[in-house]
């Protein structure tokens, strides 16, 4: 008898980081969901791939069996665990790469700053950034949608949230975006890495500065002045781990969502008109874009003891990739999953993950998407995309988005704005 | 109709607020769902059924009462 497909004895040929997967992920995942919703591949030292909705959410909801914790030693630049495959040799992100009970302390320490009431206080800022960014280009009639608009808005809101100086928005936004798609072999890779290191160096410097000042209303100042647990402040390493999670989680993801959503509206003018005429539909369109164009394609967990998941036998120490994007196309949960339908009922997508590590910035993402799209509808509604010169990410294993996207639009006037860029 | 939210399952996805904003909100402390009303008004029942089905955490339970127009 031959082994079932997708076991360790009979692995599938799959690599979520490969260019083939980036090209072909929809049919590839559809086949995996139907034949082996939890399957083993030997790539990246071997890992399970969960593609079925049920398998993905079951694992995500059991942090005791499916750990997110990451060990990393800066001395040896090695470690194990965490939520990325392959393992990335950088310090862990917090709270996302922790397990209960530590997770409860870390997440509890910052939750209040990410709830809807807190996020609403950033809406005016997001609108101002979007307005100022369009003012920069509106008279010229062209821009790069990603690099001049959908990238910088989330970067600037994140800087405002962290307490980093807005004047550095370009130096901040560019390397964080480039890091997502620049291959290790590229000539400018070292430069991109240095740019990202500079961002975190600035977090450390500003944190130290906030330690010497009265408390201000931003996260780095909050870290500098408040005790996270048992009378202790965060260590500088922990401050940087929080910064890492919030900045990397916040910056390129909403960019990918908004860019993809705008491509759909560009390609379907009747749907764009419908949304412009019925703005109350925008949140439902947004959730459908989240489902269909899931920005975070998938994330990993680490098996803590022998267990079964939808028929697959997992061993302690195994790694598993939870493909949110595939769960969101599961025909057992979503009728006609490969079609965008703003009127979809009960859209229980897991684009923000599931279980205790649900994206802490989901309310920020939703708000920034709304503000960016509103600005496009109001000022450049007839934009056209030059797809011949637009570039998708060559690898989508972590974020499924666009590197760059030149667009043209009817030149218009600048509008009054408190911020000039 | 009444509903309950399982605090051990809710992680603040927010889909309930999207479908039934007159019934659910996300809290100011931990971002988890809270009920705005104890008893669901009849005109909100369809929205609450949508919310219950849309919760990825399956944290919402609907309690139907005798005489409810919803099956």
């Amino acid at each position: 008898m031959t082994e079932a497909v997708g076991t360790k004895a009979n692995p599938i040929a799959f690599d979520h980081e490969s260019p083939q997967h980036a090209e072909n992920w929809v049919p590839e995942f559809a086949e995996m969901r139907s034949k082996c919703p939890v399957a083993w591949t030997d790539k990246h030292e071997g890992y399970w791939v969960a593609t079925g909705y049920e398998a993905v959410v079951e694992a995500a909801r059991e942090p005791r069996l499916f750990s997110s914790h990451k060990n990393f030693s800066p001395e040896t630049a090695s470690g194990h665990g965490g939520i990325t495959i392959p393992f990335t040799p950088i310090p862990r992100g917090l709270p996302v790469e922790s397990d209960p009970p530590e997770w409860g302390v870390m997440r509890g320490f910052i939750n209040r700053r990410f709830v809807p009431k807190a996020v609403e206080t950033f809406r005016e800022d997001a609108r101002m950034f979007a307005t100022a960014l369009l003012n920069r280009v509106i008279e010229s009639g062209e821009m790069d949608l990603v690099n001049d608009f959908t990238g910088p808005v989330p970067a600037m809101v994140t800087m405002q949230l962290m307490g980093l100086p807005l004047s550095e928005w370009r130096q901040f936004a560019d390397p964080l975006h480039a890091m997502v798609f620049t291959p290790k072999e590229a000539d400018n890779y070292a430069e991109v890495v240095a740019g990202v290191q500079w961002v975190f160096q600035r977090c450390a410097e500003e944190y130290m500065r906030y330690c010497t000042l009265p408390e201000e209303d931003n996260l780095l100042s909050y870290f500098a002045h408040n005790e996270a647990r048992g009378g202790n402040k965060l260590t500088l390493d922990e401050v940087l781990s929080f910064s890492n999670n919030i900045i990397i989680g916040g910056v390129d993801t909403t960019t990918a969502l908004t860019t993809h959503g705008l491509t759909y509206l560009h390609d379907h003018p009747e749907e764009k008109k419908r949304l412009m005429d019925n703005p109350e539909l925008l949140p439902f369109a947004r959730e459908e874009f989240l489902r269909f164009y899931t920005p975070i394609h998938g994330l990993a967990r680490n098996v803590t003891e022998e267990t079964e998941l939808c028929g697959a036998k997992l061993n302690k120490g195994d790694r598993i990739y939870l493909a949110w994007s595939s769960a969101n196309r599961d025909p057992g949960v979503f009728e006609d999953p490969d079609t965008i339908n703003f009127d979809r009922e009960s859209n229980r997508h897991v684009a923000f993950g599931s279980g205790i590590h649900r994206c802490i910035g989901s309310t920020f993402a939703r708000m920034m998407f709304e503000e960016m799209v509103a600005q496009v509808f109001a000022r450049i509604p007839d934009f056209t995309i030059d797809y011949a010169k637009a570039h998708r990410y060559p690898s989508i294993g972590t974020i499924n988005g666009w590197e760059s996207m030149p667009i043209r639009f009817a030149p218009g006037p600048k509008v009054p704005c408190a911020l000039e860029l | 109709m009444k509903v309950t939210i399982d605090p051990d399952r809710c992680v603040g996805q927010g889909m309930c607020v999207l479908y039934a904003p007159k019934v659910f909100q996300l809290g100011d402390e931990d971002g988890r769902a809270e009920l705005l009303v104890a008893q669901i008004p009849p005109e909100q029942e369809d929205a609450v059924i949508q919310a219950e089905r849309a919760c990825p955490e399956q944290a919402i339970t609907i309690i139907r009462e005798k005489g409810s127009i919803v099956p």
Side-chain angles (χ1 to χ4, degrees), chain A residues 44-119:
Chain A
H44 305 299
E45 301 175 332
Y47 62 103
W48 296 100
V49 188
T51 48
Y53 188 96
E54 192 190 335
V56 167
V57 299
E58 195 178 320
R61 283 192 202 135
E62 285 285 356
R64 192 182 62 77
L65 290 172
F66 296 91
S67 161
S68 295
H69 185 76
K70 177 173 177 176
N71 282 301
F72 174 71
S73 155
E75 289 74 32
T76 59
S78 64
H80 59 87
I83 59 165
T84 52
I85 295 176
F87 180 84
T88 33
I90 57 167
R92 67 178 174 153
L94 277 175
V96 75
E97 290 181 311
S98 69
D99 293 331
E102 185 195 27
W103 167 85
V105 175
M106 296 301 182
R107 177 101 177 197
F109 186 49
I110 59 168
N111 251 340
R112 241 176 344 108
R113 298 197 161 246
F114 292 83
V115 300
K117 186 181 168 189
V119 172

Side-chain angles (χ1 to χ4, degrees), chain A residues 111-168:
Chain A
N111 251 340
R112 241 176 344 108
R113 298 197 161 246
F114 292 83
V115 300
K117 186 181 168 189
V119 172
E120 278 307 308
T121 69
F122 286 86
R123 189 179 285 276
E124 283 296 320
D125 289 328
R127 190 170 300 160
M128 176 174 74
F129 301 150
T131 304
L133 285 158
L134 280 193
N135 276 352
R136 278 179 76 231
V137 297
I138 192 133
E139 291 172 340
S140 74
E142 60 183 6
M143 70 166 165
D144 189 292
L145 180 64
V146 179
N147 290 291
D148 294 331
F149 191 62
T150 60
V153 171
M156 293 167 90
V157 171
T158 307
M159 293 179 87
Q160 190 87 330
L161 168 68
M162 293 298 296
L164 295 164
L166 276 177
S167 57
E168 296 168 6

Side-chain angles (χ1 to χ4, degrees), chain A residues 390-412:
Chain A
H391 298 285
R392 287 176 185 275
Y393 288 155
S395 160
I396 60 166
T398 305
I399 297 183
N400 182 3
W402 293 79
E403 229 178 277
S404 59
M405 184 175 289
I407 66 169
R408 290 181 167 277
F409 41 84

Side-chain angles (χ1 to χ4, degrees), chain A residues 313-369:
Chain A
K313 290 182 171 51
L314 281 49
N315 297 115
K316 182 177 177 175
D318 286 351
R319 308 205 70 205
I320 181 167
Y321 179 83
L322 309 181
W324 314 119
S325 50
S326 176
N328 285 339
R329 300 289 189 103
D330 191 329
V333 177
F334 304 99
E335 198 184 321
D336 204 0
D338 294 326
T339 301
I340 290 185
N341 174 8
F342 297 161
D343 305 314
R344 183 177 295 282
E345 295 196 349
S346 302
N347 186 352
R348 59 183 165 115
H349 72 76
V350 285
F352 292 119
S354 176
I356 62 168
H357 293 290
R358 184 269 303 166
C359 171
I360 195 167
S362 57
T363 307
F364 269 106
R366 286 169 164 148
M367 179 276 284
M368 294 189 289
F369 171 91

Side-chain angles (χ1 to χ4, degrees), chain B residues 15-25 36 44 47-48 50-51:
Chain B
M15 297 308 283
C16 53
V17 182
L18 181 74
Y19 287 104
K22 291 183 176 157
V23 175
F24 301 95
Q25 68 174 10
L36 293 166
Q44 288 296 316
V48 168
Q50 284 262 347

